[in-house]
Amino acid sequence: MEQPDTYPSCNLDARRQAQAGLGNIYLPEQAIIRNIIPENQLVNTYELGLLDELTNHRFTFQPGQFMMISLPHQGEAAISFSSSPESMEGFALTIRNSGRLTAAVHELRKGDIIGVRGPYGKPFPLDQLAGKNLLFIAGGIGLAPLRPVIEHCLAHAGDFGRITLLYGSKTPEEFCFSRDFPRWKTGGIDCRLTADQACGDWKGEIGLVTCLLNGVTVEEGDMALVCGPGIMIRFVLRQLQAMGMPAENILTTLERHMKCGVGTCGHCHMEEKLVCQDGPVFTAAELPDPENP
Ligand SMILES: Cc1cc2nc3c(=O)[nH]c(=O)nc-3n(C[C@H](O)[C@H](O)[C@H](O)COP(=O)(O)OP(=O)(O)OC[C@H]3O[C@@H](n4cnc5c(N)ncnc54)[C@H](O)[C@@H]3O)c2cc1C
Ligand code: FES
């Protein structure tokens, strides 16, 4: 049955293509798990390659985009790329065990198969970031979609100004990608970490990631890239703007429950915008309600 065009930005091309039978855009490709890296008790990074070697060789994506992943009878979910397209053949997805599908993914082992379709969504505008000082601010698994941009900045170090990462998690044991921090620091990134609560031999900062903003100054032209829980994004956007950063210079990547991932179903709408197609990367100026990101 034809759906009404409720949202102005609905992806009519994808819908007409599906209706005309010009290839099934919802049919997943098979991807093989090549490696599993545990990040913390609930989060693993999966290094994947498409089973079809030629398709895998041609496969590319941009930082900030996402894949729809699926397992038979377990549903589908959007997951951001957590690797840089330049750093490996294939791609990495960092997945938190948070529900039916992701729990089933956490049961899988090296060599098992996941369904994937994509890449989808609007990426980070890397060309607009060139030449600028960049401030990355992440909470928990929110570092995953920023990691490909950080890796891109390291691979093209001369193209960017000063790079600072402010990263927080509930406890030091829950940091994702802690194996990357020494390399990022050696590459010139000022990595500042905080944990809501200390544990083990943690001697670093204690407090919310917004506390780290107190030690940072904002200069004209600086850009911020922000990802984490909605409440963290809300307070970080407020604080950055109070520090003088214009909303146009703040990029954030949002999560909404998705079904199609390609702008046809309207499930991920945020007022008149579709997160899967107009985002997931938005500037703070583009958010219909920055108090409810
Ligand atoms: C662009 C994008 C990128 C993302 N990237 C990542 C990533 O890199 N890593 C990652 O782990 N996750 C990521 N997510 C989140 C992930 O897609 C969701 O957590 C997804 O729901 C997990 O699927 P599931 O079947 O395992 O869990 P679900 O069964 O969907 O449950 C997950 C949680 O959502 C709640 N929920 C279920 N349905 C709804 C609904 N309709 N409305 C509101 N709440 C609901 C459940 O109660 C539960 O708390 C991303 C989401 C988006 C949109
Ligand atoms: S329009 Fe279907 S998930 Fe966005």
Side-chain angles (χ1 to χ4, degrees):
M1 195 173 72
E2 188 162 351
Q3 291 177 352
D5 296 335
T6 318
Y7 304 104
S9 56
C10 268
N11 184 346
L12 291 175
D13 285 347
R15 185 183 304 170
R16 287 193 189 110
Q17 185 188 348
Q19 285 168 350
L22 298 174
N24 185 347
I25 56 163
Y26 301 112
L27 200 64
E29 299 267 352
Q30 291 187 312
I32 185 163
I33 299 175
R34 290 183 173 151
N35 196 17
I36 303 176
I37 305 166
E39 303 289 350
N40 60 43
Q41 278 196 330
L42 284 178
V43 179
N44 288 340
T45 292
Y46 296 83
E47 293 182 344
L48 298 154
L50 297 177
L51 207 53
D52 183 272
E53 277 185 26
L54 186 60
T55 316
N56 188 52
H57 188 65
R58 289 182 182 150
F59 181 79
T60 188
F61 61 91
Q62 296 176 65
Q65 290 189 298
F66 65 91
M67 289 292 254
M68 294 299 293
I69 69 157
S70 58
L71 288 175
H73 314 295
Q74 306 296 342
E76 249 192 328
I79 302 289
S80 303
F81 291 101
S82 62
S83 59
S84 152
E86 299 157 305
S87 63
M88 60 187 278
E89 187 160 305
F91 53 93
L93 303 175
T94 298
I95 301 178
R96 183 184 157 87
N97 181 344
S98 61
R100 185 176 167 167
L101 170 65
T102 49
V105 170
H106 273 246
E107 296 291 314
L108 300 179
R109 298 285 167 262
K110 199 169 158 177
D112 286 341
I113 300 292
I114 300 183
V116 295
R117 57 186 179 90
Y120 297 133
K122 205 176 76 181
F124 286 102
L126 295 181
D127 49 340
Q128 284 175 35
L129 303 181
K132 309 270 173 62
N133 295 327
L134 303 181
L135 179 59
F136 292 89
I137 306 170
I141 195 175
L143 187 53
L146 302 184
R147 185 173 178 245
V149 190
I150 294 173
E151 293 292 350
H152 175 86
C153 293
L154 280 176
H156 303 269
D159 294 354
F160 298 92
R162 196 176 60 244
I163 299 176
T164 308
L165 168 66
L166 311 183
Y167 180 45
S169 68
K170 283 192 188 131
T171 66
E173 286 166 355
E174 289 177 48
F175 286 132
C176 295
F177 312 113
S178 40
R179 66 192 169 285
D180 290 333
F181 301 156
R183 184 171 52 83
W184 290 355
K185 284 181 189 164
T186 308
I189 297 181
D190 179 3
C191 297
R192 305 186 193 183
L193 309 177
T194 185
D196 300 356
Q197 305 152 27
C199 70
D201 57 358
W202 177 248
K203 303 247 177 338
E205 289 283 334
I206 298 170
L208 301 177
V209 73
T210 39
C211 302
L212 294 177
L213 272 170
N214 297 330
V216 167
T217 50
V218 167
E219 292 169 16
E220 198 179 338
D222 289 1
M223 306 263 321
L225 296 88
V226 184
C227 187
I231 188 149
M232 183 213 101
I233 296 179
R234 188 208 310 178
F235 284 106
V236 168
L237 299 194
R238 267 194 212 166
Q239 203 166 329
L240 284 172
Q241 289 176 88
M243 290 163 71
M245 188 175 277
E248 292 76 15
N249 288 17
I250 306 171
L251 295 157
T252 186
T253 167
L254 300 187
E255 288 192 5
R256 286 292 182 279
H257 274 268
M258 291 191 179
K259 286 231 183 288
C260 71
V262 292
T264 63
C265 73
H267 204 75
C268 66
H269 79 98
M270 199 174 57
E271 297 192 7
E272 81 287 0
K273 292 194 194 306
L274 296 174
V275 172
C276 69
Q277 185 168 273
D278 302 313
V281 174
F282 294 94
T283 68
E286 291 169 325
L287 299 181
D289 181 6
E291 288 297 303
N292 186 22

